[in-house]
Amino acid sequence: SPFNCAFQAMENEVAAAFNMGQADEVMSSAFKLKITREDIHTLRNLCWVNDKIINFYLGLVVERSKKEGYPVVHAFSTFFFPKLYSGGYKAVARWTKTVDLFKKDMILVPIHSHMHWTLAVIDIREKIVKYFDSMGQKGDYICQILLKYLQEESSEKRNMKMDISEWSVHSMEPHEIPQQLNGSDCGVFVCKYADYVSRDRPMNFMQAHMPYFRKKMAWEIIHQVLL
């Protein structure tokens, strides 16, 4: 069938990308990022994906969100939270020079701590900051830091005090979101949380889907489009 042919072609292309070659060969470039073969190789089974892969993938999520019928999404890079955490609001005030966060539906914040990737989602529509951890840890304090950031952003950029009493934070419980069963897939989980939440889709994937998701992500990054 045509679908099988197309699928086989995709499989072959990903296999070729995962093969040996020039480590520094550029496989894709967009969002001020160059993805090399070495970066793509972090998507091979059981490897830890690097921050360039996560940032590029979130760039693709944001691009898709510009289409009709999708929630309007902003994604911060993986470097945002460490800067905010260590330097406070002033350290990141300029990050939104050309962005009005309050016109978005949701804001994605990838977070890396202790060799582990997680995702915070600021949902402007629902006035809630949610924390997604594929190992089920709580991240309320991270949500609180982001909520404080949003308050300061509101005062600075639109001269408005945000009514914090209308807002809540919630760390997703292990039974609420898919959980990882190994030590290497957290970055892929973060990307897929972002993919699903940015489409308002129920998260009906699981650990067993990860090898497929890794290949799919490699294809999507090379072609700069989400399937």
Side-chain angles (χ1 to χ4, degrees):
S1 75
F3 174 77
N4 281 345
C5 287
F7 189 72
Q8 198 46 58
M10 288 167 75
E11 283 266 322
N12 296 346
E13 194 177 355
V14 171
F18 282 168
N19 270 341
M20 282 319 177
Q22 287 295 119
D24 58 0
E25 180 193 342
V26 175
M27 311 288 280
S28 194
S29 94
F31 321 119
K32 301 195 175 96
L33 290 167
K34 282 187 169 37
I35 299 290
T36 64
R37 185 181 292 270
E38 190 174 10
D39 297 322
I40 287 283
H41 278 191
T42 70
L43 279 165
R44 293 197 291 196
N45 248 351
L46 302 180
C47 296
W48 287 351
V49 297
N50 67 14
D51 51 4
K52 274 167 71 183
I53 292 291
I54 290 175
N55 288 330
F56 201 96
Y57 191 84
L58 292 181
L60 293 175
V61 167
V62 169
E63 278 305 301
R64 180 180 63 193
S65 88
K66 295 172 183 171
K67 287 193 204 145
E68 195 58 51
Y70 286 94
V72 184
V73 176
H74 179 70
F76 281 117
S77 93
T78 50
F79 306 111
F80 172 78
F81 190 78
K83 243 188 157 48
L84 170 66
Y85 188 74
S86 62
Y89 180 77
K90 283 195 173 47
V92 293
R94 297 188 40 156
W95 282 57
T96 49
K97 231 174 41 206
T98 58
V99 183
D100 182 352
L101 292 183
F102 301 95
K103 287 209 165 76
K104 307 292 178 188
D105 292 318
M106 68 179 67
I107 300 153
L108 307 174
V109 188
I111 288 162
H112 189 244
S113 75
H114 312 301
M115 320 289 279
H116 182 53
W117 288 106
T118 57
L119 180 72
V121 177
I122 304 170
D123 192 326
I124 303 278
R125 304 168 296 182
E126 305 282 329
K127 298 196 161 142
I128 186 168
V129 186
K130 291 181 176 171
Y131 183 72
F132 294 76
D133 184 342
S134 54
M135 287 191 159
Q137 300 285 317
K138 285 202 172 307
D140 287 7
Y141 77 99
I142 288 171
C143 297
Q144 294 292 356
I145 290 169
L146 289 170
L147 200 47
K148 184 168 181 287
Y149 162 77
L150 207 59
Q151 273 180 290
E152 298 187 74
E153 179 80 354
S154 183
S155 301
E156 280 295 311
K157 299 284 163 73
R158 51 179 197 168
N159 218 349
M160 257 172 83
K161 258 188 106 55
M162 213 171 90
D163 184 357
I164 209 74
S165 69
E166 297 177 351
W167 281 75
S168 58
V169 305
H170 176 62
S171 292
M172 303 299 276
E173 301 279 343
H175 67 266
E176 292 181 285
I177 54 170
Q179 296 288 288
Q180 75 184 93
L181 304 174
N182 65 20
S184 55
D185 281 331
C186 55
V188 185
F189 272 88
V190 161
C191 290
K192 294 319 282 186
Y193 290 152
D195 171 24
Y196 279 69
V197 81
S198 66
R199 291 180 290 154
D200 289 326
R201 288 284 301 275
M203 301 206 177
N204 52 1
F205 60 89
M206 55 192 191
Q207 175 67 56
H209 294 112
M210 290 300 132
Y212 164 69
F213 280 159
R214 284 170 170 274
K215 287 187 203 164
K216 186 172 167 214
M217 283 173 65
W219 192 94
E220 290 169 325
I221 287 169
I222 291 166
H223 290 271
Q224 302 179 9
V225 63
L226 296 180
L227 291 172

